[in-house]
Amino acid sequence: MFAVTAARFSSDDPLSALELGEHAEPTPAEGWTTVTVRAAALNHHDVWTLRGVGISANQLPMILGCDAAGVDADGNEVVVHSVISDQARTGDETLDPRRSLLSEKYNGTFADQVAVPRRNLIPKPAALSFTDAACLPTAYLTAYRMLFDKSGLQPGSTILVQGAGGGVATALILLGKASGFRIWATSRSEAKQQQAIDLGADQAFPSGARLPERVDAVMETVGEATWSHSLKALRPGGRMVISGATSGTMPPADLARIFFLQLSVVGSTMGSRDQLARLVTFCEQTGVRPLIDRTLPMSEAKDGFEAMIKGELFGKVVFTT
Ligand SMILES: NC(=O)c1ccc[n+]([C@@H]2O[C@H](COP(=O)([O-])OP(=O)(O)OC[C@H]3O[C@@H](n4cnc5c(N)ncnc54)[C@H](OP(=O)(O)O)[C@@H]3O)[C@@H](O)[C@H]2O)c1
């Protein structure tokens, strides 16, 4: 079958680690099944894998891709939950210390077929296209948990989204706006600030700009480049929810500000299978659909990776088979 793999690692030139070509079809283990992939979405996670983050060399070549929507062995249309936890485990799969995402220990979704545990499949409603559904399992699920679980906020609160253009960030804008939050966003790019407004943000600012007032919570995926601004943007008692650090993981902590203003910093990773099922229902109920920057045939996956690495995207890249 056709597959998009990490063949090696390169921290400086991740595109050089990408290979497209033939790969053996999956043989599902006990309790697993095979999904024929119809659409698979790109995440920054796939770029990290090419850079050698979160994976070791003895696992290469590894088929990339966390997200997919497709058709299962019985002909049902499904969305794949990417978090692989111990089969015997109940409750939040992301809290299993040995959990992984597809493409970390087990081959991922950028292929004609992917093997997954049967319990990781969620029915895809007819109202959602395969390309829309493929965007949900990582970026949109992460945004869902950040907003509705980890922020602790009620609708009407003001939320700052750092780095408006990203997959998680655009998901935060769309889901937050549909739920009655006041959404402010920042971006390095003036064009993306306007795109954030067009998408539903109430106001957009250049990265690091002084805000009209302090916010109840900041949604942080950028990391080092925006950390200090995020802390300064919070009202006393406010909360930063962090799920990523694209620009670096070691900013100055500014501990005095955190304790004097009684700020909370809360980590967030992916979401449970149950939350993914509720996210699917949320999209059905509200009519919200993922923002897709571009859809490409999987054979042109390299172009999507290149756009993500260059920071050109506003929304998701989806590969179709
Ligand atoms: N913990 C989890 O479960 C989880 C889940 C999903 C993603 N993540 C992580 O979250 C991060 C975002 O993922 P994604 O898939 O949304 O990535 P993406 O689509 O590639 O977006 C990258 C984002 O980073 C911003 N950015 C990058 N460098 C920046 C800089 N120097 N200064 C300011 N902003 C910068 C961009 O904002 P502008 O271009 O608008 O300025 C954009 O929002 C990644 O690090 C990813 O690994 C974690």
Side-chain angles (χ1 to χ4, degrees), residues 1-5 21-29 32-40 62-75 78 80 102-103 106-117 121 298 319-321:
M1 65 175 183
F2 181 78
V4 177
T5 58
E22 283 302 303
H23 199 283
E25 288 182 6
T27 320
W32 289 50
T33 187
T34 302
V35 172
T36 301
V37 175
R38 296 287 299 276
M62 176 63 81
I63 300 179
L64 294 162
C66 301
D67 294 349
V71 179
D72 74 8
D74 300 320
V78 292
V80 175
L102 287 172
S103 79
Y106 305 100
N107 276 317
T109 57
F110 293 171
D112 292 327
Q113 295 192 329
V114 60
V116 290
L121 299 184
M298 204 172 278
F319 303 134
T320 51
T321 55

Side-chain angles (χ1 to χ4, degrees), residues 14-218:
L15 267 190
S16 69
L18 191 67
E19 264 183 25
L20 282 68
E22 283 302 303
H23 199 283
E25 288 182 6
T27 320
E30 181 69 26
W32 289 50
T33 187
T34 302
V35 172
T36 301
V37 175
R38 296 287 299 276
L42 178 65
N43 291 288
H44 215 95
H45 184 280
D46 302 302
V47 176
W48 290 126
T49 304
L50 294 173
R51 292 189 198 274
V53 177
I55 182 170
S56 50
N58 60 12
Q59 289 168 290
L60 297 176
M62 176 63 81
I63 300 179
L64 294 162
C66 301
D67 294 349
V71 179
D72 74 8
D74 300 320
N76 304 305
E77 296 187 352
V78 292
V79 189
V80 175
H81 184 224
S82 184
V83 183
I84 312 296
S85 62
D86 189 303
Q87 293 272 58
R89 191 179 168 87
T90 55
D92 185 346
E93 301 85 1
T94 66
L95 295 177
D96 178 351
R98 286 201 297 274
R99 60 120 173 91
S100 65
L101 301 185
L102 287 172
S103 79
E104 288 178 354
K105 282 187 196 159
Y106 305 100
N107 276 317
T109 57
F110 293 171
D112 292 327
Q113 295 192 329
V114 60
V116 290
R118 248 186 220 102
R119 68 178 195 161
N120 283 50
L121 299 184
I122 287 167
K124 180 188 84 61
L128 280 182
S129 67
F130 283 108
T131 47
D132 287 342
C135 298
L136 301 182
T138 298
Y140 279 71
L141 181 59
T142 301
Y144 182 96
R145 171 169 279 193
M146 292 172 81
L147 278 174
F148 304 131
D149 181 352
K150 301 287 185 171
S151 82
L153 292 180
Q154 294 172 1
S157 307
T158 303
I159 287 180
L160 178 69
V161 177
Q162 297 282 22
V168 178
T170 46
L172 286 163
I173 295 170
L174 279 168
L175 300 182
K177 188 65 184 174
S179 313
F181 290 100
R182 185 159 70 144
I183 300 288
W184 291 354
T186 69
S187 177
R188 296 166 292 177
S189 134
E190 207 170 310
K192 289 188 192 181
Q193 289 162 39
Q194 185 54 49
Q195 284 174 292
I197 302 269
D198 297 343
L199 192 61
D202 296 282
Q203 293 191 62
F205 308 90
S207 297
R210 191 180 177 85
L211 304 177
E213 63 189 71
R214 289 188 171 156
V215 302
D216 298 302
V218 179

